[in-house]
Amino acid sequence: MDTKILKGIDVSLKVKKDLSVIIKKLALKDVIPSLAAIIVGDDPASKLYVSSKAKAFSKLSCHSEVFSLPSDTTKQNLIKFIEDLNDNPKFHGILLQLPLPKHLNEKEILKTIAPNKDVDGLHPENQGYIMQGDPQFISCTPYGCIKILEYYNINTNGKDVVVIGRSNLVGKPIASLLSQNFNYGNATVTICHTKTKDLNFYTRNADIIIAAVGVPNLINKNMIKNGAHIIDVGINRIDDNTKDKGYKVVGDVDFDDVLGKASSITPVPGGVGVMTVTMLLSNTVQAAIKQAKII
Ligand code: NAP
């Protein structure tokens, strides 16, 4: 079987093309979708993520500003900073880059972002809306996964889906979205995690596997059924002396191993990761529309 490669870039281009029409309409009303990205501390990976997000915004004539706070920022100061952004009409969306330094409780801080500016979809109110079948802001990675399924016409209705991973960021929202009565939903969803007794049993019976684990090459061809569709969310660095950097990035699925047995798979890199930034842009445009009360 030929395994179709589900390229994130193709989906991203389509989403961005649609967004650019809306962004132009907003510009005519002097509304430029604007994001405030907060980064606390000096984590190089976080800095890289934030700068790639900022680049994507400027390419589509949207605005983004990065606010870098020192790693010893107190909880009170960070909350005050977020509250000021909540009240600042210049910004339609607020992104708090995770992880935060250890002394700051992520859940506690995320709750202080105004839900109507929570373009990362991590506020409990927005996660609750998803559970109720009335999504407002969907966190960007699960949203990107749905867009990939939609773009490549991978029907989820009545299918058996296994989601591996149960984080608030990825596993739980994607499982919730796919199990509801939505166009790209209506699946029978099983969520697996570290306490799952026999992961193989579930993955071998799945029509669609969503892997959001963080374990390199956890899933191989013996763990999937013929013709399965695979969305690999994992981003893992493994040593590779043939690369200048000394490492390469791989997913949670052994890509080469499943080729020929899976119907389709997202590559890593080049799959879901591309979509995460694109859906941040999309959520920020939606936030701008709602706040400006236009279109
Ligand atoms: P996380 O919060 O660490 O959650 C990982 C989940 O995987 C947990 O629920 C954990 O189970 C489960 N798990 C770990 N090892 C397992 C195993 N051997 N068998 C079954 N389940 C296992 O991670 P996350 O934030 O959801 O991210 C998951 C992966 O996606 C990471 O590689 C991350 O880098 C990547 N990611 C990619 C993007 C993107 O844009 N492509 C965005 C976000 C995250 P327990 O709950 O039992 O611990």
Side-chain angles (χ1 to χ4, degrees):
M1 171 184 310
D2 271 350
T3 302
K4 189 175 177 65
I5 309 303
L6 309 172
K7 292 186 194 146
I9 189 74
D10 292 350
V11 192
S12 170
L13 286 173
K14 161 82 173 79
V15 173
K16 283 182 183 167
K17 193 171 162 213
D18 295 345
L19 282 176
S20 66
V21 176
I22 303 172
I23 292 165
K24 277 185 194 135
K25 279 189 192 168
L26 288 171
L28 292 175
K29 310 236 176 201
D30 293 325
V31 177
I32 310 289
S34 299
L35 174 78
I38 308 166
I39 180 162
V40 187
D42 297 314
D43 180 43
S46 294
K47 283 187 171 171
L48 194 70
Y49 284 136
V50 167
S51 78
S52 76
K53 287 166 185 170
K55 245 186 246 164
F57 270 68
S58 69
K59 272 194 189 156
L60 274 200
S61 308
C62 293
H63 177 71
S64 71
E65 264 173 64
V66 179
F67 297 94
S68 294
L69 306 183
S71 55
D72 60 356
T73 301
T74 62
K75 173 177 118 180
Q76 289 73 15
N77 284 350
L78 179 55
I79 291 176
K80 171 80 175 67
F81 197 86
I82 291 172
E83 285 171 348
D84 286 347
L85 289 172
N86 287 341
D87 294 337
N88 185 344
K90 181 177 171 192
F91 295 106
H92 305 106
I94 301 170
L95 166 91
L96 179 64
Q97 184 62 45
L98 302 178
L100 293 176
K102 292 264 179 301
H103 67 283
L104 297 166
N105 178 321
E106 289 179 0
K107 278 190 185 158
E108 199 180 344
I109 308 286
L110 283 169
K111 266 192 251 177
T112 65
I113 296 176
N116 69 334
K117 292 192 175 186
D118 170 41
V119 287
D120 226 5
L122 295 177
H123 190 287
E125 189 171 311
N126 284 316
Q127 300 221 319
Y129 275 123
I130 293 178
M131 288 300 291
Q132 291 198 343
D134 180 25
Q136 303 294 313
F137 290 114
I138 301 173
S139 40
C140 303
T141 304
Y143 200 2
C145 295
I146 297 288
K147 285 285 169 190
I148 290 173
L149 293 168
E150 195 179 290
Y151 180 86
Y152 288 103
N153 218 1
I154 298 171
N155 182 17
T156 57
N157 276 253
K159 303 292 185 206
D160 292 323
V161 174
V162 166
V163 176
I164 318 169
R166 55 177 168 182
S167 68
N168 290 335
L169 186 63
V170 193
K172 275 189 234 167
I174 190 76
S176 176
L177 289 163
L178 289 171
S179 63
Q180 298 196 48
N181 188 4
F182 298 147
N183 266 350
Y184 280 82
N186 286 316
T188 304
V189 179
T190 304
I191 304 178
C192 296
H193 43 75
T194 54
K195 306 295 182 294
T196 300
K197 274 193 198 146
D198 184 359
L199 182 62
N200 288 9
F201 169 80
Y202 296 100
T203 54
R204 267 201 310 264
N205 288 299
D207 300 309
I208 300 170
I209 297 173
I210 316 269
V213 189
V215 176
N217 301 326
L218 175 72
I219 307 296
N220 59 44
K221 72 173 174 209
N222 298 322
M223 298 172 71
I224 68 167
K225 77 172 177 188
N226 277 323
H229 297 280
I230 301 175
I231 305 288
D232 191 352
V233 181
I235 298 179
N236 310 292
R237 278 185 185 190
I238 58 169
D239 293 343
D240 185 345
N241 294 332
T242 67
K243 307 275 177 205
D244 290 345
K245 298 175 282 190
Y247 68 87
K248 68 175 177 179
V249 174
V250 299
D252 294 335
V253 179
D254 189 335
F255 184 85
D256 292 331
D257 197 49
V258 302
L259 288 181
K261 189 168 185 188
S263 267
S264 67
I265 183 167
T266 55
V268 179
V272 177
V274 185
M275 288 307 296
T276 298
V277 179
T278 304
M279 299 327 291
L280 178 68
L281 199 53
S282 173
N283 279 346
T284 307
V285 170
Q286 293 313 316
I289 291 170
K290 282 187 195 165
Q291 283 161 48
K293 298 192 172 66
I294 46 176
I295 302 189

